[in-house]
Amino acid sequence: MKQVYQISDLRNRSLLDEGAEKPARLAVIGNPVAHSASPAMHQAALDACGMDMRYIRLEVAPGQVAEAFHLMKELGFIGCNVTVPHKLEAMECCDTLSDDASAIGVVNTIRFSDANGHTTGHNTDGPGLAHAILEDFDTDLANLRVMILGVGGGAGKAIATQCARLGCQQLWLVNRTLQKAQSLATSLQPYYPLTEKPTPLGSDDPMMEIAASRTDLIINATSLGMRASDELPIPAAFIKPHHMVYDAIYKPSETALLKQAMSVNARASNGLSMLLHQGVLAFEYWFPGHSPVNEMRNGLYSTL
C-alpha cells in the first residue's frame, strides 16, 4: 500500500486496493497531503466500528478536484476530507451545501451521495473549534469575548463565522491586510443585529492593546509559529494572565505564542483538539450515530 495516492491511482479499483486487505472508501485530499494525520484518526474509528474500509491520503493538483470527485464517486467512495489548497475549489464542485458550509463559505468535508444522489459539501472546522474550546478550557465559546488573529484565510474565516453564529459577546477580527478583516466583519454583521458588531483591526493598529485587554480568548489562525524563527502574531506584552490562548497550529505542540502565554500564567492550548473534533464531526456526518471520540483521539495521538 502507498502512503500517498495520486489521481492516476483512481483509474480502477484493483490498482487502488493492490496489497490492501480493505477497500479505500474515504480519503483526505490536499496538495501536499503526506503530512496529514487524518488517516490514523479516521482509520482507528473505522476499525473500532467494524467498518470494512480504508481511509487514504490522496494528492490532488489544483484544478483537478472535480476530476478526483468524479473518479471517487465511480469507485464507490463515501466521501472525503478536504485540506489546503482545495477548500474553495471543492465547494464549487458540490451540488448542495450544508448550512455550516454555506455560512462559512468553504468546505472541508464531502459526502458523495445523499438521498438524492448529490455531492454535498459540509464544514466541521468551526463547530470543531467550539468543541475544542469547551474541552480545553471548560467554557462555552458563546460566552466569551474573542480576538482572532489572521482572518484572511479559510481557518480564520471558519473560526470567526462560528463565533458569530454562536453570538460571542465581542469579536475582534485582526488581519495584516485590514481590508480582508473589514470585509469579513461586514459579512458577519447580520449575526449581530442588536449588539456590538464585529470589529476589524489591522495587526499594527494602536487599538490592538486595548482590544486585547478586553478579550477573554485569543485565537491564532495565522501560520506564525510553525517555524522557530517566526515572530509572535501579537505583541508579548498584550498577553495577560486572564487570557485563554488557543493556537490553531499543532506542530510544534508548543509555539512561541503558547510559551509566552504560559510564561504569564495564561491558560493555553494548541490546535490538536480542533483537529480531533472536526474529524469526529466529519465521521458523524458520514456515519450518523457513530462517534468514536476516544478511538479517534488515540489514533491521532499515535502520530505525534
Side-chain angles (χ1 to χ4, degrees):
M1 296 186 297
K2 299 180 178 180
Q3 291 298 307
V4 178
Y5 290 83
Q6 308 294 327
I7 197 168
S8 58
D9 293 313
L10 298 176
R11 300 301 177 187
N12 64 74
R13 172 59 68 180
S14 60
L15 177 64
L16 181 64
D17 293 335
E18 185 177 1
E21 295 180 359
K22 300 178 180 181
R25 301 288 187 189
L26 292 164
V28 55
I29 69 167
N31 192 349
V33 77
H35 66 284
S36 176
S38 291
M41 178 169 56
H42 284 287
Q43 193 62 54
L46 292 169
D47 293 345
C49 294
M51 297 176 180
D52 187 34
M53 62 185 76
R54 284 186 301 136
Y55 183 110
I56 64 172
R57 297 179 183 90
L58 180 62
E59 190 167 83
V60 176
Q64 292 187 326
V65 172
E67 181 183 3
F69 281 9
H70 172 74
L71 292 171
M72 281 191 279
K73 289 173 71 174
E74 288 288 309
L75 292 177
F77 272 64
I78 293 166
C80 67
N81 289 126
V82 182
T83 188
V84 292
H86 297 318
K87 293 187 177 185
L88 184 58
E89 185 179 346
M91 184 177 71
E92 295 170 348
C93 297
C94 293
D95 300 310
T96 58
L97 298 175
S98 70
D99 291 342
D100 287 313
S102 295
I104 292 170
V106 292
V107 302
N108 78 332
T109 302
I110 301 293
R111 187 168 60 198
F112 284 127
S113 183
D114 62 13
N116 299 310
H118 293 156
T119 294
T120 305
H122 185 46
N123 195 300
T124 64
D125 284 332
L129 172 79
H131 283 268
I133 296 302
L134 181 60
E135 177 177 279
D136 292 350
F137 299 121
D138 195 28
T139 189
D140 196 318
L141 184 59
N143 297 329
L144 302 176
R145 298 170 297 176
V146 183
M147 173 179 283
I148 304 168
L149 310 174
V151 296
K157 183 179 180 183
I159 290 168
T161 303
Q162 183 68 20
C163 289
R165 295 176 76 197
L166 291 174
C168 286
Q169 296 180 17
Q170 195 164 27
L171 195 54
W172 304 91
L173 307 176
V174 181
N175 204 65
R176 183 175 55 186
T177 304
L178 177 59
Q179 185 177 4
K180 291 183 178 180
Q182 291 172 328
S183 176
L184 181 58
T186 298
S187 71
L188 297 181
Q189 283 184 6
Y191 293 105
Y192 292 89
L194 302 176
T195 56
E196 187 168 349
K197 304 293 191 293
T199 303
L201 291 172
S203 54
D204 57 354
D205 193 302
M207 278 292 295
M208 275 284 294
E209 185 170 11
I210 295 174
S213 71
R214 298 173 180 173
T215 295
D216 303 309
L217 172 65
I218 297 171
I219 301 175
N220 177 37
T222 76
S223 61
L224 292 174
M226 297 183 72
R227 297 176 296 273
S229 59
D230 286 344
E231 61 184 15
L232 290 173
I234 187 173
F238 294 1
I239 303 172
K240 304 298 182 182
H242 78 272
H243 283 133
M244 290 169 277
V245 180
Y246 191 87
D247 200 325
I249 295 168
Y250 61 91
K251 287 186 180 180
S253 60
E254 287 189 6
T255 61
L257 175 65
L258 296 184
K259 290 177 181 177
Q260 177 59 33
M262 290 184 286
S263 75
V264 298
N265 294 318
R267 288 186 284 170
S269 186
N270 69 29
L272 201 63
S273 54
M274 180 178 172
L275 177 63
L276 168 65
H277 286 291
Q278 65 79 27
V280 171
L281 291 170
F283 196 86
E284 292 174 350
Y285 185 65
W286 294 321
F287 307 107
H290 294 278
S291 185
V293 180
N294 290 332
E295 289 83 358
M296 294 182 77
R297 190 191 309 275
N298 292 337
L300 179 59
Y301 282 23
S302 72
T303 68
L304 302 180

